[in-house]
Amino acid sequence: MADYDLVGVEVTHEDPDPLLKRSEEKESGEHLHTVQALRLEAGQPDSELRSLKKLDDESVKLLEHQVDAAYRALFEMDGKALLADEVGLGKTIEVGMILKEMHYRATDDSVLVLTPAQLAKQWQGELLEKFGLDFVCNYDDEFDGFDSHDHIIASIDTAKSDRYRETVLERDWNVLVLDEAHYVKNEETDRYDLIDALTYDYAFFLTATPIQNELTDLYNIISLLRPGLFGSRDAFHHYFVNNSQETLVNREELQDRLNRVMIRNKRAETDIDFTERNIDTRTFETTCEERQLYEAVSDYVRGAYSEDQGQKLVLMLLQKEVVSSPAALEQTIEKRLHEQSELTHADELESILDLIENIETVTKQDRLLDIVEEAREHVEMGRVIVFTQFRATQREILDRLATEGYTTHAFHGGHSSQEKEGIVANFEEEGGVLVSTDAMSEGRNLQFCNIMVNYDLPWNPMKVEQRIGRIHRIGQKREVYVFNMALENTIEEYVLDRLYHKIDLFQQTVGELSAILTRLEDSSTSFEDEIFERLVEADSEITLENDFDAMAVDLQEQQDLAEKLEEFNNGVFEGFDLGASDD
């Protein structure tokens, strides 16, 4: 039976072994009609990605391996491909090119992009800024459901939820994009069932780790994308895996089948040369007043949590704010007292407000001036990006810097898209200090700056890496300097010294961090949750130190497993020519 590529050109394949005969049952006449009509509409054979000339070179710099991957996925793989490049090679860019080309050819009437929750907004920003593709995200205020928009980016867990699942499955999607496709490796999960039940014409799956535990992972992912390519699961194991399931057999046949659906580029085979990343962590002794405030907040958090664990989110917020700024802490406490007149322990919160009033010197502000002054003396236009999690802290920093005569720029989620573009442009043109909330940490390219300060530290290393990724990315030509600020003998210092530095999390990429944190995600316990639990349950400083040491050991074991996984992936694909063939 003949296959057809995206433009209706007939492609013939040799019949596979009968045991693994490829299934064509899901190729519908409607799909063939669509791609053939597209070819007629185009009016000429396809030999290039014609939409590339429409892209702004300043928005996105396309690399050769990315262009090749997009072309192969569209025109050599019938519009159904697994993009399995190693971490950091720009799989999102490859999908952006694919979607741009399909938009150019008017084959993107309905597009669904499914991602992990923490990456949805980043995808939205990247597709808009680099490719001019406007998608609504399920986290946007204007999102009205999966039947109300034609171009949607959503977390896969939102799509599979009871609230939305039926609506998602009722639509016939032109294009499905699935990021971090290894999340559907287990056929017994709701995520797998959702993808298996979806109706779509074209699909592009992304993962740097197509095999996480065993070859069945690869089988499950590809069987969702190309049903029947490997036959039944039993046939796959019988034909490609020996009885011990530790080594492969019939490698050439496996390679042939993978080459029909999978593209895998390796860092060593590209011309990308990432600049060096330098991490400078600076811890500072608190004033007596700051120490009193920190201990009072910590005592309150422990006591309140022991009585009512439902307060977890607000208590966690207080613990983060006390090492960020008195202003951020004050704002939250005053709001809490105002909104809950019957609040338990209100007297304690009033006492904390009194301690805030006693603070005359904010240590972090003073020390931040040292860093930005260094930059003003040694860096072009003195450009520095300062990240904080809190708007109140941001306002204090901006006021202090302005008082000291620095050119400042504010960036936060309250700005419109147009305002954000103007802020970034002004920062590039005028230099100075950009003080941003984490609204900047995803979807922005700021390679014209190479110095960043973490004024306060997210407890999730993934969020820290997303911050760093604004300046340390493809296109950065200078060494990158990241300064982390922390107050001594606080939760910040524990997170920095006992967790981040012990296993060198600052040198990991987003993809590598995702692999390291998988165990916590699978157990429904976030990295931040585990830090908070250890903080509130420790009955002494020694216990707290031991608890964080144990957590570091857990993370190190997870990192070792992630490295073994990478070695296993490379071993499976050893010797495979997963790029374009020479003929």
Side-chain angles (χ1 to χ4, degrees):
M1 183 174 183
D3 289 339
Y4 292 83
D5 69 11
L6 190 68
V7 291
V9 178
E10 184 173 295
V11 180
T12 59
H13 302 292
E14 294 181 7
D15 284 337
D17 186 285
L19 186 65
L20 296 166
K21 190 167 183 179
R22 186 178 180 185
S23 168
E24 301 289 351
E25 293 177 357
K26 289 201 173 183
E27 291 288 357
S28 68
E30 181 181 353
H31 171 65
L32 296 181
H33 175 77
T34 299
V35 293
Q36 288 170 331
L38 174 60
R39 185 186 184 194
L40 292 174
E41 181 183 10
Q44 61 180 349
D46 286 282
S47 59
E48 62 179 348
L49 296 170
R50 280 182 263 139
S51 64
L52 293 189
K53 60 189 70 174
K54 303 287 185 180
L55 295 177
D56 184 351
D57 290 340
E58 294 184 2
S59 297
V60 56
K61 181 181 179 181
L62 304 179
L63 302 176
E64 183 178 351
H65 76 273
Q66 295 169 340
V67 175
D68 176 70
Y71 180 87
R72 292 185 63 214
L74 281 171
F75 303 124
E76 297 179 7
M77 296 184 173
D78 306 337
K80 290 185 178 178
L82 176 63
L83 304 172
D85 291 356
E86 289 183 340
V87 170
L89 296 186
K91 292 184 289 295
T92 307
I93 298 298
E94 293 168 0
V95 169
M97 281 188 278
I98 290 169
L99 295 179
K100 184 73 173 180
E101 186 72 14
M102 298 188 81
H103 182 71
Y104 181 87
R105 297 166 181 273
T107 56
D108 68 337
D109 291 342
S110 58
V111 182
L112 177 62
V113 180
L114 297 178
T115 77
Q118 71 271 19
L119 298 180
K121 294 296 289 185
Q122 180 172 317
W123 266 88
Q124 184 185 36
E126 295 254 331
L127 291 179
L128 179 61
E129 293 163 22
K130 292 183 171 66
F131 299 96
L133 298 173
D134 193 4
F135 281 74
V136 67
C137 176
N138 69 282
Y139 297 112
D140 293 339
D141 292 338
E142 59 268 32
F143 179 72
D144 292 324
F146 289 85
D147 54 353
S148 300
H149 313 276
D150 291 327
H151 297 82
I152 300 173
I153 297 173
S155 78
I156 187 170
D157 290 331
T158 297
K160 74 174 178 60
S161 67
D162 292 340
R163 178 180 181 184
Y164 291 116
R165 177 184 169 87
E166 185 176 349
T167 307
V168 172
L169 295 180
E170 283 176 350
R171 294 193 68 171
D172 293 331
W173 300 92
N174 287 125
V175 187
L176 169 67
V177 175
L178 177 63
D179 192 18
E180 305 294 352
H182 51 271
Y183 280 16
V184 298
K185 66 182 186 296
N186 187 344
E187 72 275 15
E188 297 179 356
T189 62
D190 291 341
R191 290 171 176 172
Y192 183 97
D193 288 343
L194 176 75
I195 304 303
D196 191 35
L198 275 169
T199 303
Y200 50 82
D201 296 324
Y202 309 111
F204 306 96
F205 290 6
L206 297 80
T207 178
T209 54
I211 302 172
Q212 290 216 302
N213 297 304
E214 57 181 22
L215 282 175
T216 302
D217 298 343
L218 182 65
Y219 173 87
N220 288 341
I221 293 169
I222 290 182
S223 292
L224 284 174
L225 189 62
R226 290 283 189 89
L229 181 63
F230 284 133
S232 69
R233 185 176 287 103
D234 288 342
F236 173 79
H237 277 280
H238 177 79
Y239 198 72
F240 291 122
V241 185
N242 72 355
N243 291 333
S244 67
Q245 297 190 7
E246 293 178 355
T247 59
L248 295 175
V249 294
N250 296 316
R251 284 180 175 242
E252 291 185 3
E253 177 66 18
L254 179 58
Q255 174 188 355
D256 176 68
R257 292 175 187 278
L258 286 174
N259 277 335
R260 299 183 196 177
V261 69
M262 187 169 77
I263 300 168
R264 183 171 176 84
N265 292 299
K266 298 182 179 181
R267 284 189 181 220
E269 296 167 356
T270 69
D271 295 328
I272 301 174
D273 183 19
F274 291 93
T275 60
E276 187 174 348
R277 175 186 298 190
N278 302 280
I279 305 296
D280 185 345
T281 295
R282 301 187 178 186
T283 57
F284 312 109
E285 184 178 356
T286 58
T287 65
C288 290
E289 292 80 9
E290 287 174 323
R291 171 53 50 186
Q292 284 183 314
L293 178 62
Y294 178 79
E295 291 177 353
V297 169
S298 298
D299 289 343
Y300 169 77
V301 167
R302 288 191 183 96
Y305 185 69
S306 66
E307 295 179 10
D308 181 5
Q309 297 187 5
Q311 303 181 66
K312 183 174 187 176
L313 290 179
V314 69
L315 296 175
M316 190 183 295
L317 179 65
L318 294 175
Q319 195 72 54
K320 292 178 179 179
E321 287 176 332
V322 70
V323 292
S324 177
S325 73
L329 179 65
E330 182 179 37
Q331 180 175 290
T332 298
I333 291 178
E334 288 181 343
K335 180 180 179 181
R336 189 162 169 77
L337 288 170
H338 175 72
E339 292 179 350
Q340 301 185 41
S341 57
E342 301 297 325
L343 185 65
T344 306
H345 302 299
D347 290 345
E348 284 187 66
L349 292 178
E350 294 284 2
S351 298
I352 291 173
L353 288 178
D354 291 339
L355 292 175
I356 291 174
E357 290 296 322
N358 294 335
I359 292 179
E360 297 180 356
T361 299
V362 180
T363 299
K364 276 191 177 181
Q365 282 187 22
D366 291 345
R367 301 287 72 82
L368 176 64
L369 292 176
D370 297 338
I371 296 173
V372 296
E373 184 60 30
E374 284 182 61
R376 184 156 65 176
E377 293 177 358
H378 299 105
V379 178
E380 178 188 5
M381 303 183 74
R383 290 195 195 95
V384 179
I385 299 172
V386 179
F387 273 107
T388 176
Q389 300 171 81
F390 307 108
R391 289 280 291 275
T393 302
Q394 180 190 42
R395 288 190 290 269
E396 276 206 339
I397 295 172
L398 288 165
D399 289 344
R400 181 69 183 274
L401 291 173
T403 300
E404 299 293 335
Y406 289 91
T407 300
T408 61
H409 312 268
F411 189 107
H412 55 72
H415 292 122
S416 68
S417 296
Q418 187 173 359
E419 287 172 333
K420 289 176 180 176
E421 295 297 332
I423 292 166
V424 171
N426 290 339
F427 176 49
E428 182 173 11
E429 181 179 344
E430 299 171 5
V433 185
L434 173 70
V435 184
S436 178
T437 64
D438 284 319
M440 171 74 80
S441 68
E442 297 179 347
R444 295 277 162 180
N445 297 322
L446 302 167
Q447 296 95 322
F448 58 83
C449 179
N450 68 320
I451 298 180
M452 196 197 84
V453 178
N454 286 310
Y455 188 85
D456 48 47
L457 195 74
W459 294 353
N460 188 332
M462 188 81 77
K463 293 181 181 179
V464 180
E465 177 56 33
Q466 286 167 346
R467 287 179 174 183
I468 298 173
R470 297 310 97 218
I471 62 175
H472 194 219
R473 58 195 299 113
I474 294 174
Q476 176 61 263
K477 296 180 172 59
R478 295 166 293 177
E479 290 188 23
V480 165
Y481 294 87
V482 178
F483 295 90
N484 300 309
M485 304 182 71
L487 297 176
E488 290 181 356
N489 299 315
T490 66
I491 186 64
E492 270 187 325
E493 187 178 29
Y494 281 115
V495 172
L496 273 169
D497 287 347
R498 297 189 178 275
L499 297 182
Y500 287 14
H501 283 301
K502 274 200 172 183
I503 64 171
D504 205 16
L505 288 181
F506 284 114
Q507 298 298 334
Q508 312 293 332
T509 65
V510 168
E512 291 162 339
L513 284 172
S514 179
I516 292 171
L517 301 179
T518 294
R519 180 187 63 81
L520 294 174
E521 294 173 358
D522 288 346
S523 64
S524 300
T525 303
S526 73
F527 194 83
E528 295 189 3
D529 287 338
E530 188 154 336
I531 288 173
F532 183 73
E533 296 286 350
R534 291 173 188 269
L535 174 69
V536 296
E537 291 175 2
D539 55 12
S540 69
E541 186 173 340
I542 293 176
T543 301
L544 187 61
E545 289 181 2
N546 291 336
D547 284 349
F548 271 81
D549 282 338
M551 189 174 178
V553 171
D554 289 344
L555 285 171
Q556 182 62 60
E557 291 175 352
Q558 192 66 16
Q559 184 177 26
D560 293 342
L561 289 173
E563 290 172 354
K564 290 179 181 178
L565 165 64
E566 183 179 0
E567 292 175 5
F568 183 64
N569 268 287
N570 291 336
V572 170
F573 304 128
E574 187 72 33
F576 284 15
D577 176 16
L578 298 180
S581 59
D582 294 332
D583 50 28

